Amino acid sequence: MKTQQMINIKDAEKDQIGAVITNLDVVQLEPESEEIGEILSAIYRNKLIVIKGQNLDPKQYVDFTKKLGTPQIYLQENYHHPNFPEIFVSSNVNKPGEKVGVAGTGHYWHTDCQFQEQPLSFTAITPVIIPETVRSTSYIDMNKVYKNLPEDLKTLIENKILIHGGNNRYKVTPDDIDKSIQQLIEYQNKTAPPVKHPAIIEHPVTGDKILYASSGFTMKVEGMNHEESEQTIKRLFDFIEKEEHIHTHHWDKGDLIIWDNRYLLHKSSALPVGEKSKSYRIGIYDKYPFYKGISKNS
Ligand SMILES: [Fe+2]
């Protein structure tokens, strides 16, 4: 029987995001324990948590995420860890003749898997190799953005449906080498067609209203002509990405960061030339539908 830990959760300041959790060894946690419940509540309450001082091996990491929900196996295998397909590897560090993971991921504003019918509830990330100079991830709280939206913009999109797609962000793989751009586009349109979600979603746990749009994946507003749609999404992105909405987390060794993709957009930092970086991400589906009104398995 594992002992109960005196978990220490320091919630974010008012109107800020990000709790800091210390005094916790996630390896020791039992599934469905009180501590797991506290961690899940802290994610919903603070939108992002940082659990300090964890240095997990890949198996321990996957096992922990299974206690929070169901780990995702990402749709493209070229991102997978060789032994643990649940781990999505972002890395520019390779041994000669061996390529594991993908370099330069996520350097644009997005929320993970927004281009899918059933987007990803949480993202967990932990650094494996931290660059010498800078490594951080920036976030935008889309509940706060919704509350701050100018009234005319809010009225314009309040009951609209937005169309999202990930094809512009597709990274070619060695298997694509003899394909034309046209073939790649046709293949992508067939395997990952655009999806629709409400512009304003309601969080299934907190009931908060959230603007669900990102310049990384959102393509158009349903029911508007091309010009009107382009103007509207440009106004939205300009407003969303204002400096005052951006919160940046700088990584420390041992940080295990988990956030709620319903609430937050994120963007990875640019890596200076010559710097090495490697991180392990695991997507997690919690037990709730992504937003109120969508079925869990649509
Ligand atoms: Fe991402």
Side-chain angles (χ1 to χ4, degrees):
M1 176 93 178
K2 289 172 182 169
T3 52
Q4 200 175 7
Q5 300 180 63
M6 292 301 290
I7 179 169
N8 182 9
I9 302 177
K10 186 175 184 300
D11 273 356
E13 304 278 314
K14 192 173 181 295
D15 293 331
Q16 300 296 312
I17 61 168
V20 178
I21 300 184
T22 51
N23 206 28
L24 176 66
D25 176 3
V26 301
V27 176
Q28 300 297 323
L29 295 174
E30 297 282 1
E32 308 203 9
S33 59
E34 208 173 293
E35 292 97 332
I36 290 291
E38 283 183 54
I39 292 168
L40 288 167
S41 302
I43 299 170
Y44 296 128
R45 193 168 65 243
N46 294 280
K47 300 161 185 165
L48 174 136
I49 61 167
V50 184
I51 309 176
K52 305 295 285 185
Q54 310 300 310
N55 288 291
L56 308 176
D57 67 31
K59 182 174 184 315
Q60 290 171 329
Y61 186 25
V62 173
D63 285 349
F64 171 57
T65 60
K66 285 180 180 168
K67 294 170 196 163
L68 296 177
T70 306
Q72 177 196 44
I73 310 279
Y74 193 66
L75 71 165
Q76 287 177 259
E77 283 181 21
N78 53 319
Y79 288 84
H80 294 182
H81 184 287
N83 304 323
F84 295 91
E86 296 90 346
I87 298 179
F88 171 114
V89 181
S90 178
S91 168
N92 69 353
V93 185
N94 286 296
K95 291 181 191 149
E98 180 191 78
K99 176 158 170 41
V100 175
V102 175
T105 57
H107 185 51
Y108 50 87
W109 286 111
H110 68 288
T111 171
D112 287 335
C113 302
Q114 189 169 33
F115 50 82
Q116 293 186 327
E117 294 284 350
Q118 190 64 242
L120 190 59
S121 319
F122 301 155
T123 297
I125 199 160
T126 193
V128 180
I129 298 172
I130 302 184
E132 294 282 311
T133 49
V134 62
R135 183 67 189 182
S136 58
T137 305
S138 296
Y139 298 90
I140 294 177
D141 176 355
M142 297 298 282
N143 168 240
K144 193 170 174 179
V145 168
Y146 170 75
K147 288 181 189 160
N148 290 347
L149 270 180
E151 277 308 315
D152 64 324
L153 197 49
K154 194 182 272 187
T155 306
L156 202 56
I157 56 139
E158 189 92 69
N159 296 309
K160 293 285 193 297
I161 299 289
L162 300 181
I163 299 173
H164 315 275
N167 291 353
N168 290 347
R169 307 290 172 181
Y170 177 76
K171 285 175 182 277
V172 294
T173 72
D175 292 343
D176 297 325
I177 203 76
D178 290 324
K179 295 186 186 126
S180 69
I181 297 286
Q182 183 63 34
Q183 282 174 311
L184 283 179
I185 291 170
E186 281 169 11
Y187 177 76
Q188 279 300 108
N189 283 340
K190 208 166 102 190
T191 53
V195 300
K196 299 174 182 182
H197 294 293
I200 312 299
I201 60 171
E202 211 173 314
H203 196 288
V205 178
T206 64
D208 282 341
K209 286 189 165 187
I210 298 161
L211 172 59
Y212 191 60
S214 72
S215 56
F217 294 139
T218 305
M219 302 187 306
K220 52 188 168 189
V221 185
E222 188 177 60
M224 287 186 178
N225 67 36
H226 180 73
E227 288 73 21
E228 203 186 354
S229 170
E230 288 290 294
Q231 273 176 18
T232 304
I233 61 171
K234 182 174 184 319
R235 274 194 69 197
L236 272 180
F237 298 155
D238 286 349
F239 184 78
I240 291 166
E241 294 168 17
K242 283 164 80 149
E243 198 59 39
E244 70 207 53
H245 291 143
I246 299 172
H247 164 99
T248 298
H249 175 78
H250 298 280
W251 299 2
D252 286 327
K253 191 171 180 323
D255 280 0
L256 173 55
I257 305 162
I258 307 172
W259 66 85
D260 187 335
N261 276 304
R262 303 169 173 105
Y263 275 122
L264 301 183
L265 299 190
H266 62 281
K267 179 183 179 180
S268 63
S269 56
L271 194 62
V273 177
E275 284 271 37
K276 290 182 175 159
S277 171
K278 184 173 179 180
S279 61
Y280 286 166
R281 157 185 142 178
I282 301 182
I284 306 166
Y285 297 99
D286 63 9
K287 64 181 180 183
Y288 300 101
F290 192 75
Y291 50 83
K292 284 187 184 172
I294 189 176
S295 75
K296 174 77 182 140
N297 298 309
S298 69

